[in-house]
Amino acid sequence: METMQAAGTVNAHFAEKQQFFDHGHSRSYGFRLAQLKILKKAVDTYEDQICEATKTDLNKSSTETFMTEIGVVKSEIEHAMSNLREWMRPEQRPTPLSLHPSSSRIVYEPKGVVLIIGSFNFPFQLNIMPLIGAIAAGNCAVVKPSELAPATAKVIERMLSDFFAVSYISTVQGEGHKVVPELLESHDFHHVFFTGSPAVGSSIAVQASRKLIPFTLELGGKSPGIVDASAKLKVAAKRLVLAKFLNAGQTCVAPDYLLVHESVKEAFVKEVMSTLKKFYGKDPASSKDYGRIINVRHFERIKAYLDEGRIIHGGQYDADTRYIAPTLMEDVPRDASMMREEIFGPIWPIFTWKEREEILEYTRLNRYPLACYIFTSSKAMEKYIVDSVEFGGGCINNALLHVGNHDLPFGGVQSSGQGNYHGWHSFAAFSHAKGVMKTATWFDIWLKYPPFSKFKLSWLKRLM
Ligand code: NAD
């Protein structure tokens, strides 16, 4: 029942979508492939408007927008189109002897009408990447972009309404804390895909669980950037600086803080400073490649961190333009709020360590980060970090770019997320894996039927 429509607040066109789905329109291979093609055309058509919108919302340069919002989406659509037939094919599975003569398979079935909720920081791709998975898996979708990036939210709405019927895909706008609970209350969605903060993610999980709606949560955390004594410092500095200061630090997989071996700290900090100068010039405020903080609330939150330690580089800010310079800090107490909260901004606290076990003392203060990056030339160190830090996904001698590999699941662990997506994993997230066994009728093992006897039991014990 369209209670939302009646209330006159938000209209998810849920009943039309349910009907569209129930008639099986979204299921066939041909339909899914055609919709992916349409989505690609939509992104191509709206490319300039997307760039303008992300410039307005976050002062992103066109290159950054292409790299992190448009290019990744196009590449994901192409990947889905090339693999769709294979993904949709039932997967043959072995059957134990005791169940013969049978064959087994997994059939990937669409879930129905799904709700996708995006966050503000990559305001285009974090809505459209999951949408690709929803389409590939044969679902109908409602997209709810973040109200904190209103220009991009409007472009998404225009783009989707230009290219898709509301009975298949549509957009809902508004303040999340009002709109989302209302949507979840009024409609029985078949999956909720949420990208955002752990606090809101947890409230989504509670609401969805009440109705037994499955969900994926793509959340955040404090991801460490670890630099070992054996690291190639120049390249480590370049890769870490890019990952930290892209989007002015408002990236869920940014290296939130640095853990540098004490023997290379001075040399590494020098490399970071010279890299910052190369990337953003002497005055990052005038660089066309340096972003701005999304709103006043986040600007004030991040600015307050500047008082929690010693600034060794940067520290300038401008409230009018919500600019905060790339900033390096030392002597930050472990219990400072900056070390208890996800920084999500361009402030980088640096800590040193001597023995590798000390790294865990830091990472366990904020356990289960979304990402982790280790820069080292030592295989033993690489193994130690991968095996002992519990993180969603990460890189060795790189940062952030694991997210760009379609063949790796992208998601958090525990408090940084539940479930994952990208490539086949997106298809799987929006599908129900239905296990089906087919048994021949020419033979029927009589042992399994009553009346039971000691003889039957002894045979069953041998077979099972
Ligand atoms: P947020 O949780 O404030 O908002 C995310 C979405 O939820 C928005 O669409 C918003 O409208 C909606 N929302 C807000 N309050 C709500 C409520 N009470 N009930 C229901 N919905 C509500 O997150 P944000 O500030 O937009 O994004 C920053 C956070 O997202 C960071 O923690 C970051 O690490 C995380 N993030 C994670 C990923 C990932 O892929 N894992 C990607 C980007 C951002």
Side-chain angles (χ1 to χ4, degrees), residues 59 67 88 122 149 155 160 170 173 176 188 199 209 217 255 257 268 294 319 330 339 359 366 381 388 423 430:
N59 196 42
M67 252 169 41
M88 287 178 69
F122 292 93
V155 171
L160 295 181
S170 67
Q173 304 281 9
D188 292 334
S209 301
L217 302 176
Y257 62 101
F268 179 69
I294 188 75
E330 279 184 349
M339 284 309 289
I359 294 171
N366 296 283
M381 183 63 180
S388 54
F430 286 104

Side-chain angles (χ1 to χ4, degrees), residues 190-203:
H190 303 100
H191 193 90
V192 180
F193 189 103
F194 172 82
T195 304
S197 59
V200 176
S202 151
S203 76

